[in-house]
Amino acid sequence: MTLVRIRRSFRHVSPQVVLFLLFAFCLLSVFVSAYYLYGWKRGLEPSGDIPSPDCDEPKIAPSRLLPIKPIKVVDSSRTDPLVLVFVESLYSQLGQEIVAILESSRFKYLTEIAPGKGDMPTLTDKDRGRFALIIYENILKYVNLDAWNRELLDKYCVEYGVGIIGFFKANENSLLSAQLKGFPLFLHSNLALKDCSINPKSPLLYITRPSEVEKGLLPGEDWTVFQSNHSTYEPVLLAKTKSAESIPHMSIDAALHTTVVQDLGLHDGIQRVLFGNNLNFWLHKLVFVDAV
């Protein structure tokens, strides 16, 4: 009976009332939509708490204005978890230390005599890269590769996002100051250093802690330090010279000098870590593990 009464009451509603109700409903919908739309736009507006640029910030070095090549994102699924180690000989001390650390860390590796000229090991297998990392016991072997092998290796590193670790161990025949061939990086060699510290802003650090420092003289007097104005190079380890004198031929005087440098890949798309000595120094071993 109730349902019948409701139906009868609707029959007596005039068309004007129906139109009024529809108009009111539409008007309410417009107000609701406008409210939510306004609130959503406010969420995209910049906050008033964002500070204005600080005029006291240091000026960008001219090298930071140079064209920067994009870095290919590392896709580990495209490479096998294998490290390619180029050594001077199968019995070299540094080469054996590199292999020992890789074995203790359970990294798979393949050892090859570094080619100056001649065949480079096969780097790919169909569409997969065979190696996830390249290590050079002597970085000069990489720098002085013949043009064909150098281009082949660099293209592989860029395509598969593979990095390079290299060591530079100075000897009595090393130039005191020289530019690394093909790179905006200068080397100053055969130095005695002291008071090694860690750059806390280095993106390379993993197990190495910035609080781990070495006070006093570093072992040996055959250290190499790196100098560059290019933004691709980030210091990892720093040290002072044994004496307070500045390094000859260095364009700027600095209290701290870079003994391990990370190339972020902004120069040519390849990330690298370069050591200015061997692995006899304990902090070098820690940083090496971080680099791997």
Side-chain angles (χ1 to χ4, degrees):
M1 293 294 292
T2 304
L3 183 60
V4 173
R5 289 177 182 175
I6 293 174
R7 287 179 177 176
R8 288 178 179 176
S9 62
F10 270 109
R11 289 176 183 174
H12 296 288
V13 176
S14 64
Q16 291 82 359
V17 174
V18 174
L19 290 175
F20 176 79
L21 292 175
L22 288 174
F23 176 78
F25 178 79
C26 293
L27 191 62
L28 179 62
S29 299
V30 170
F31 276 112
V32 171
S33 300
Y35 173 80
Y36 282 105
L37 182 61
Y38 176 71
W40 178 73
K41 284 188 175 181
R42 284 192 62 187
L44 295 180
E45 291 176 359
S47 170
D49 297 333
I50 297 178
S52 59
D54 189 356
C55 296
D56 295 331
E57 289 183 357
K59 295 182 179 180
I60 298 176
S63 61
R64 295 179 182 269
L65 303 179
L66 295 175
I68 294 177
K69 292 192 176 182
I71 303 173
K72 197 174 187 67
V73 178
V74 177
D75 183 2
S76 58
S77 64
R78 298 187 63 207
T79 57
D80 295 330
L82 187 65
V83 180
L84 176 59
V85 183
F86 286 116
V87 296
E88 296 272 56
S89 74
L90 295 178
Y91 307 102
S92 61
Q93 180 181 352
L94 179 54
Q96 291 180 358
E97 290 177 350
I98 292 172
V99 167
I101 292 177
L102 293 177
E103 288 180 343
S104 63
S105 302
R106 298 184 178 180
F107 289 111
K108 296 180 180 179
Y109 66 91
L110 174 66
T111 303
E112 293 279 348
I113 304 297
K117 294 182 179 179
D119 294 335
M120 176 73 65
T122 303
L123 300 175
T124 59
D125 182 11
K126 296 180 180 178
D127 60 343
R128 288 183 59 82
R130 293 186 60 206
F131 308 103
L133 176 67
I134 312 292
I135 299 177
Y136 270 91
E137 177 187 357
N138 183 355
I139 193 61
L140 294 183
K141 291 289 186 178
Y142 165 71
V143 171
N144 294 322
L145 274 174
D146 62 87
W148 172 264
N149 282 329
R150 175 64 182 275
E151 183 180 5
L152 187 69
L153 184 57
D154 284 356
K155 281 186 176 180
Y156 172 80
C157 290
V158 172
E159 175 64 25
Y160 291 91
V162 173
I164 296 175
I165 298 176
F167 297 83
F168 183 83
K169 185 70 165 63
N171 55 45
E172 62 276 6
N173 298 321
S174 300
L175 296 175
L176 295 180
S177 295
Q179 182 176 359
L180 195 62
K181 180 181 176 182
F183 296 93
L185 184 67
F186 292 86
L187 284 65
H188 306 278
S189 301
N190 286 316
L191 299 171
L193 302 178
K194 65 178 182 180
D195 299 342
C196 185
S197 59
I198 301 169
N199 175 17
K201 296 182 180 180
S202 171
L204 186 68
L205 304 182
Y206 183 67
I207 63 172
T208 308
R209 297 289 178 261
S211 58
E212 294 171 319
V213 297
E214 176 73 11
K215 292 292 184 180
L217 296 177
L218 303 188
E221 296 185 350
D222 53 358
W223 286 81
T224 295
V225 298
F226 303 96
Q227 176 202 0
S228 178
N229 291 326
H230 199 291
S231 58
T232 192
Y233 295 106
E234 182 77 19
V236 181
L237 291 186
L238 304 109
K240 302 176 183 178
T241 54
K242 181 179 178 180
S243 62
E245 298 178 0
S246 60
I247 298 176
H249 309 294
M250 182 172 275
S251 59
I252 57 174
D253 292 334
L256 295 174
H257 305 285
T258 303
T259 66
V260 178
V261 65
Q262 180 181 9
D263 182 349
L264 302 176
L266 305 181
H267 175 62
D268 58 5
I270 303 173
Q271 298 190 48
R272 304 175 181 87
V273 178
L274 303 180
F275 291 77
N277 211 303
N278 53 29
L279 291 172
N280 289 340
F281 183 42
W282 67 276
L283 272 176
H284 272 199
K285 292 181 180 179
L286 284 181
V287 173
F288 175 71
V289 174
D290 281 346
V292 174

